[in-house]
C-alpha cells in the first residue's frame, strides 16, 4: 500500500527574517498547497518584500500570519479582459446619465473595511482581520496600496483595493453594495492598466468568476519572472480619467 510523502516542516519566521525560496512552498500532496511560511510581521517593509517576491499573506482569526506562493497563480492580463455585454450596457448607461464616478484612493479606509465585512461564498468569516486592515492602511499611506471606488448617484456602491509595485498590480479584495459595482471597479482598473501599459493583474487564486472575465492560471515560475521584470519599472500615478473608459468600452471582446 503506497503512502503519501511526508509534509515538509513549515518555516517559522521571526520578525525581519527573510522568506524562504518560493519553491519550498507546500505542494499538491500537502495539506495546504502553496503555503510557504508562518509568523513574521505585517509591517510595510515585510509586505513590500513579500509582494516583490510574489508572496502574499492570508490567514483567519486564531491563526498565525500565513504566507503563500501558489502554483499555479491566477492572473488577469488587461488586454485579455472580457467585458460582458450586460456590464458594458450598464456602464454606458450610467456614464451617459452622469451617474457613475470612478475614484481612486478617495476613501481607502471605507473600501477595505467594506471588503472585510462582505460575505464570501463558501467562507465563514473574513480573512481581512483588524491587523490586516491596519497593515494595508499603512501600505496605502506609503503610496503602495490603492482603492478603486465605484460611486453611483453620489454613494459608494462598490470597489476593490490592490497593491502596486512598479508596473505590477496585485489585486486583493472586492465588495459590492449594488449589482455589478465591484465588476465596474475591476473594469476601471483594467482600463487604467491598459492606459498605463501595466501588463498583468495578480488575482492570487483561481475562481470561475475571474476565469469568466479573462483570468487564467500560469505556472509560478512564469509569474515570478514577470514580477521580477515588472517591479523594476516606475509606478504610475494613481488617477482615473474618464477617457480611460475607451480602452474597454470600445473594445470588441465581449461575452
Amino acid at each position: 500500500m503506497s503512502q503519501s510523502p511526508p509534509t515538509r516542516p513549515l518555516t517559522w519566521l521571526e520578525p525581519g527574517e527573510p522568506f524562504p525560496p518560493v519553491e519550498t512552498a507546500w505542494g499538491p500532496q500537502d495539506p495546504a498547497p502553496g503555503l510557504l511560511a508562518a509568523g513574521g510581521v505585517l509591517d510595510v517593509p515585510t509586505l513590500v518584500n513579500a509582494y516583490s517576491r510574489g508572496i502574499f499573506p492570508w490567514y483567519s482569526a486564531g491563526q498565525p500570519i500565513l504566507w503563500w506562493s501558489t502554483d499555479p497563480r491566477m492572473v488577469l492580463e488587461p488586454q485579455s479582459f472580457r467585458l460582458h455585454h450586460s456590464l458594458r450596457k450598464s456602464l454606458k448607461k450610467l456614464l451617459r446619465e452622469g451617474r457613475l464616478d470612478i475614484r481612486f484612493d478617495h476613501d481607502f479606509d471605507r473600501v477595505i473595511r467594506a471588503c472585510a465585512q462582505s460575505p464570501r461564498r463558501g467562507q465563514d468569516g473574513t480573512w481581512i482581520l483588524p491587523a490586516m486592515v491596519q497593515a494595508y492602511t499603512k501600505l496605502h499611506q506609503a503610496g503602495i496600496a490603492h482603492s478603486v471606488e465605484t460611486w453611483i448617484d453620489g454613494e459608494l456602491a462598490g470597489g476593490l483595493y490592490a497593491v502596486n509595485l512598479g508596473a505590477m498590480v496585485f489585486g486583493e479584495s472586492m465588495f459590492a453594495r449594488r449589482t455589478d459595482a465591484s465588476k465596474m471597479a475591476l473594469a476601471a482598473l483594467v482600463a487604467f492598466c491598459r492606459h498605463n501599459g501595466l501588463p498583468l493583474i495578480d488575482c492570487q487564486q483561481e475562481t470561475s468568476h475571474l476565469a469568466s472575465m479573462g483570468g487564467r492560471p500560469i505556472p509560478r515560475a512564469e509569474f515570478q519572472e514577470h514580477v521580477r521584470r515588472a517591479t523594476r519599472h516606475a509606478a504610475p500615478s494613481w488617477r482615473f480619467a474618464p477617457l480611460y473608459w475607451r480602452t474597454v468600452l470600445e473594445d470588441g471582446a465581449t461575452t
Side-chain angles (χ1 to χ4, degrees):
M1 182 177 179
S2 62
Q3 294 182 344
S4 300
T7 298
R8 291 191 298 270
L10 188 64
T11 299
W12 180 265
L13 298 174
E14 297 296 335
E17 188 175 358
F19 290 100
V22 296
E23 294 78 13
T24 64
W26 281 358
Q29 77 282 358
D30 295 312
L35 182 58
L36 177 67
V41 290
L42 289 173
D43 60 12
V44 169
T46 300
L47 287 168
V48 169
N49 185 25
Y51 279 96
S52 67
R53 297 169 183 268
I55 301 165
F56 62 93
W58 183 44
Y59 65 104
S60 301
Q63 295 178 327
I65 302 170
L66 300 178
W67 301 93
W68 301 78
S69 176
T70 54
D71 188 13
R73 189 70 162 242
M74 190 69 168
V75 300
L76 175 62
E77 294 163 304
Q79 296 302 328
S80 300
F81 176 69
R82 292 197 292 267
L83 185 64
H84 293 204
H85 176 74
S86 59
L87 181 56
R88 181 188 298 268
K89 185 177 179 181
S90 297
L91 278 169
K92 285 187 172 181
K93 182 175 186 294
L94 288 169
L95 288 169
R96 185 171 60 249
E97 295 172 350
R99 298 169 56 204
L100 172 62
D101 185 23
I102 296 295
R103 305 177 189 176
F104 280 11
D105 295 334
H106 179 77
D107 202 334
F108 183 90
D109 184 70
R110 282 181 67 188
V111 170
I112 192 171
R113 292 183 186 278
C115 289
Q117 296 163 5
S118 182
R120 311 288 176 187
R121 184 179 300 175
Q123 294 185 20
D124 183 16
T126 180
W127 59 271
I128 309 175
L129 303 169
M132 293 281 271
V133 172
Q134 183 180 31
Y136 283 83
T137 298
K138 289 181 179 178
L139 270 185
H140 171 64
Q141 293 167 349
I144 298 168
H146 302 276
S147 59
V148 179
E149 307 162 15
T150 302
W151 290 74
I152 300 176
D153 299 328
E155 298 290 335
L156 180 60
L160 61 85
Y161 71 98
V163 171
N164 172 225
L165 293 176
M168 188 68 208
V169 176
F170 304 85
E172 286 298 315
S173 187
M174 309 167 71
F175 81 98
R177 293 173 178 159
R178 293 180 60 160
T179 302
D180 288 339
S182 59
K183 295 177 184 177
M184 292 178 188
L186 178 59
L189 177 60
V190 166
F192 171 78
C193 289
R194 287 184 176 184
H195 180 82
N196 287 280
L198 308 182
L200 201 70
I201 301 171
D202 173 35
C203 302
Q204 297 177 352
Q205 301 190 57
E206 188 171 358
T207 68
S208 58
H209 168 67
L210 288 167
S212 73
M213 302 184 82
R216 67 183 180 94
I218 63 174
R220 178 169 56 208
E222 180 181 339
F223 175 75
Q224 294 296 120
E225 179 58 28
H226 181 88
V227 170
R228 279 192 287 270
R229 292 197 309 267
T231 52
R232 297 190 188 121
H233 296 271
S237 175
W238 278 72
R239 296 184 179 90
F240 189 83
L243 63 88
Y244 296 174
W245 281 123
R246 297 177 187 171
T247 67
V248 293
L249 293 179
E250 296 178 4
D251 184 7
T254 60
T255 58

